Amino acid sequence: MTTTNLGRHGFADTRHGQAHYVEQGHGFPVLLLHQTPRSWDEYRDVIPILGESFHVIAMDTMGFGSSARPPMPWSVEMFAESAIDLCDALGLGRVSIVGHHTGAVVAVEIAAAHPDRIEALVLSGMPFVDAARRRIVADRAPIDHVVPKADGSHLERLWNNRAPYYPSDRPDLLDRLVHDATGVLDSVEEGHLAVNRYLMEERIGLITAPTLVLCGELDTFSLPDQPAITAALTGARSDVLPGTGVPAVDHKPEQFASAVRGFLAGPALPAAATSQHTTPRETEMDIRSRSLTMDGTTLSYHVSRSAAAGVPTVFLHPWFGCWQFWISTMDGLADRPCFAVDFYSPAGGDWSSVDGPSGLADAVLHMLDSEGLDQVDLVGNSVGGIVAQIIASTAPDRVRRLVLVGTGANTAGALPAFAETVDRWTAGVGDNGGPSREAIADTVGMLFTCRPEPEAWETYVQAVSDTNAAYMGSVLNAARRLDLTPDLPRITAPTLILRGTEDCARTAAHAAALAEGIPVAHAIEMDGAGHSPMIDHPDEFLRLVTEHLDSEFAVPYAESNG
């Protein structure tokens, strides 16, 4: 693709000389950092796409493109200092950063040195540079260094050195790389040398920003390092771009931009930016992302109105859903603090200690302790409802009110269509790394009776796609083995049980069994709603939940509307 709408070019003073940049769009600022020996041109076709949602700034790393060439040797730290100076010159406070190869390493240093400035990171095609790698690359022949020849044959050599990493049917991509490389031919390897000297293992652990670790499936240089990078970053997500490799940015710009936008438009950015992409209801809530670590596992959660005076409400999302399902409801509960747990976050680390829903219940209780929440109202959908039952029955004094949505005490008698879909999904967790995106989308789609808006739909599907498939299958299978029926009498919180009449998974019998087993319980069916009625009928759902949370209860009422 050829892009002509490329925004505004500019120069800014940094401590290492003038930095050249291109900017486009409005909104939250996103800084793009290229690989060696490229320039901002690497992002030429990505800029207009991301510019539809963000204020995009693509800079030439110092020494490359049209930026100044500081004295050598160059370092990752120098590249990072110049990038922060550019942000200061442009009046940018917090930013998100997208870096590719060398640019990703520079992004690591910026995030480690200035954690208060970074909202989110996307690290694309990044090698993990530790002592072992430094030993390996010490004797490796440089890929871009060539000695100029009078007959121009050095250009052919440069082309041929890079050709194995580029698609054979796209000579235009190599042409753009060679164009950038010839502009800095006498220092063309300095970016790679700076990366190979960088002590990443001492810096990566300082990163606190939400991070997406991205890589092309054909990038044999960096893909093997993706698991180690993801494990080194608390709560990081990872994704692989199919059909592309080292030149993922300019080879598959739409695919690359979609992955970046899907991540940055999710929990990584302030809610004023995320809410328009996650639910049909627009909101200006200030949602803050937090996390805690226990037994090597990280649990992320998202908080709105933490200083409000009302009783805190904790939301637990369904499997194949995501925490953003609750944004509309959180927006409506304007008088109380709201906490939406991200059950997928443990998949980014060592999730072996997560014993299905029971382990997730322990993690939520740990979160309540960490936040100093003695008693909360608890709302859970599907698997989130199972976790809520475990919490309410094992720690009844911690739950004031309980709302169970599209769930049951066990999965016996689940509707066949959904059960078969889940069976196919869990069967996909094997040598192929998990189910296809199409299979994931099919499963997510079963939760609703109406298709969400396109951007919200993409957020929902991407959240599941980004999560370790083996973790997903492990928790789901553990949930299917549980039968909480004997524990229901220990739930003391007055409980509202909601089920959509078009629920794809749970029958009216599941809701009735909950109403019968919980001492103070009330069941309501929502006409025309599906498995996650807060998406299908957000206003009705909010009304029912609000009425329940605000009601006073003196006697059991299981018979009144069950």
Side-chain angles (χ1 to χ4, degrees), residues 177-244:
L177 179 139
V178 171
H179 178 272
D180 281 341
T182 53
V184 292
L185 207 53
D186 60 338
S187 55
V188 70
E189 284 290 335
E190 283 300 312
H192 294 146
L193 294 174
V195 167
N196 294 339
R197 290 189 291 263
Y198 182 57
L199 301 180
M200 181 182 288
E201 70 271 37
E202 297 180 7
R203 304 294 285 168
I204 195 168
L206 301 177
I207 294 175
T208 59
T211 304
L212 172 65
V213 184
L214 196 62
C215 196
E217 69 170 341
L218 306 180
D219 188 344
T220 57
F221 181 78
S222 297
L223 187 59
D225 289 348
Q226 190 180 42
I229 295 168
T230 305
L233 293 161
T234 300
R237 296 180 178 181
S238 64
D239 196 7
V240 175
L241 297 176
T244 191

Side-chain angles (χ1 to χ4, degrees), residues 149-185:
K149 302 291 185 180
D151 62 359
S153 59
H154 62 290
L155 300 178
E156 182 180 9
R157 182 181 175 189
L158 175 59
W159 182 286
N160 291 336
N161 285 350
R162 280 282 184 165
Y165 303 96
Y166 278 67
S168 59
D169 61 342
R170 292 293 305 276
D172 59 305
L173 300 180
L174 263 177
D175 184 63
R176 287 166 60 184
L177 179 139
V178 171
H179 178 272
D180 281 341
T182 53
V184 292
L185 207 53

Side-chain angles (χ1 to χ4, degrees), residues 395-523:
D397 57 317
R398 305 298 294 271
V399 183
R400 188 189 73 105
R401 297 282 186 273
L402 181 63
V403 180
L404 302 177
V405 186
T407 192
N410 54 50
T411 61
L415 291 170
F418 186 79
E420 291 169 4
T421 299
V422 172
D423 286 340
R424 288 196 299 271
W425 195 91
T426 54
V429 181
D431 294 337
N432 62 356
S436 67
R437 186 179 175 85
E438 181 180 4
I440 291 173
D442 287 344
T443 307
V444 174
M446 295 188 71
L447 305 184
F448 320 118
T449 56
C450 60
R451 182 70 168 251
E453 293 296 322
E455 288 178 308
W457 169 255
E458 176 63 24
T459 296
Y460 302 157
V461 173
Q462 192 65 45
V464 180
S465 300
D466 286 343
T467 305
N468 181 292
Y471 166 78
M472 294 279 289
S474 174
V475 173
L476 189 62
N477 285 327
R480 299 173 88 178
R481 293 192 296 267
L482 285 176
D483 184 1
L484 301 177
T485 304
D487 302 323
L488 298 181
R490 293 201 293 270
I491 297 176
T492 59
T495 303
L496 172 64
I497 301 157
L498 294 177
R499 174 186 174 271
T501 58
E502 306 305 315
D503 193 324
C504 65
R506 297 295 188 168
T507 66
H510 287 113
L514 288 174
E516 181 179 350
I518 299 172
V520 183
H522 182 55

Side-chain angles (χ1 to χ4, degrees), residues 227-466:
I229 295 168
T230 305
L233 293 161
T234 300
R237 296 180 178 181
S238 64
D239 196 7
V240 175
L241 297 176
T244 191
V246 172
V249 176
D250 43 358
H251 179 213
K252 299 287 186 180
E254 296 92 346
Q255 187 180 23
F256 182 87
S258 176
V260 170
R261 182 166 55 186
F263 179 71
L264 297 186
L269 289 183
T274 66
S275 61
Q276 61 182 319
H277 300 300
T278 53
T279 69
R281 178 191 295 271
E282 293 187 359
T283 173
E284 295 299 325
M285 280 190 303
D286 181 18
I287 295 182
R288 303 294 181 179
S289 298
R290 301 178 184 174
S291 63
L292 57 88
T293 302
M294 58 256 153
D295 299 326
T297 300
T298 297
L299 181 74
S300 297
Y301 53 100
H302 308 275
V303 187
S304 69
R305 305 185 187 91
S306 58
V311 177
T313 303
V314 177
F315 295 91
L316 309 178
H317 67 77
W319 230 234
F320 305 116
C322 56
W323 76 266
Q324 291 98 327
F325 273 31
W326 301 113
I327 287 181
S328 179
T329 310
M330 293 167 71
D331 184 33
L333 297 176
D335 60 341
R336 65 197 81 203
C338 292
F339 296 75
V341 176
D342 180 2
F343 280 148
Y344 299 151
S345 53
D350 178 13
W351 51 267
S352 58
S353 62
V354 179
D355 182 22
S358 298
L360 293 175
D362 290 341
V364 173
L365 287 169
H366 191 75
M367 182 205 79
L368 300 186
D369 293 339
S370 176
E371 291 285 342
L373 305 178
D374 294 330
Q375 192 176 59
V376 300
D377 294 336
L378 197 56
V379 183
N381 180 204
S382 194
V383 169
I386 293 174
V387 175
Q389 292 173 63
I390 294 172
I391 294 171
S393 61
T394 59
D397 57 317
R398 305 298 294 271
V399 183
R400 188 189 73 105
R401 297 282 186 273
L402 181 63
V403 180
L404 302 177
V405 186
T407 192
N410 54 50
T411 61
L415 291 170
F418 186 79
E420 291 169 4
T421 299
V422 172
D423 286 340
R424 288 196 299 271
W425 195 91
T426 54
V429 181
D431 294 337
N432 62 356
S436 67
R437 186 179 175 85
E438 181 180 4
I440 291 173
D442 287 344
T443 307
V444 174
M446 295 188 71
L447 305 184
F448 320 118
T449 56
C450 60
R451 182 70 168 251
E453 293 296 322
E455 288 178 308
W457 169 255
E458 176 63 24
T459 296
Y460 302 157
V461 173
Q462 192 65 45
V464 180
S465 300
D466 286 343

